[in-house]
Amino acid sequence: MAAQSQDVKASNPEYEQVKADLKALREDLAKLSKSVADGQKNNLNSFRDEIRRESEEALDYARGAGEKALHEAEERIAERPFLTVIILFLAGLVVGKLLDR
């Protein structure tokens, strides 16, 4: 009876069509999976590039702000060098007293 069932399956065109459709579905799913994976990879690459670009912009901004602050500090020191020396001396005394504790 089992051999007869296999003969019916093999000779039935609907069975062959379902078998072909399942094979095509497997292939389509494999292509879809690959396409989704490639899309995710492209999204990750563009996200990484965007993060890199924004971090470089932030670094440039911070560098510029640091240079500006340094320049302003140099100008103030140049305007009043004696006052700067006194302030630094007093700050050193305060730090020294704090470290002695």
Side-chain angles (χ1 to χ4, degrees):
M1 181 110 169
Q4 195 178 36
S5 174
Q6 286 183 349
D7 289 340
V8 171
K9 286 180 183 177
S11 64
N12 188 344
E14 290 176 2
Y15 174 76
E16 292 299 321
Q17 183 61 42
V18 168
K19 194 173 166 182
D21 289 345
L22 286 173
K23 181 179 178 185
L25 181 60
R26 280 190 208 108
E27 291 171 357
D28 288 346
L29 283 175
K31 289 177 187 175
L32 179 62
S33 295
K34 185 179 182 326
S35 176
V36 167
D38 290 345
Q40 291 299 323
K41 184 177 179 183
N42 289 337
N43 287 344
L44 288 174
N45 287 338
S46 64
F47 185 61
R48 182 193 67 225
D49 293 341
E50 183 178 342
I51 289 173
R52 182 177 291 141
R53 184 180 65 250
E54 288 181 8
S55 64
E56 287 172 357
E57 289 173 5
L59 181 63
D60 289 342
Y61 176 77
R63 186 177 292 129
E67 288 174 358
K68 181 180 176 185
L70 180 63
H71 182 68
E72 288 176 4
E74 287 174 345
E75 284 180 358
R76 289 183 189 227
I77 290 170
E79 289 173 0
R80 299 186 177 136
F82 184 70
L83 180 61
T84 303
V85 170
I86 291 173
I87 290 172
L88 290 175
F89 177 75
L90 292 175
L93 285 176
V94 170
V95 170
K97 291 291 182 186
L98 290 174
L99 291 177
D100 281 344
R101 291 184 183 185

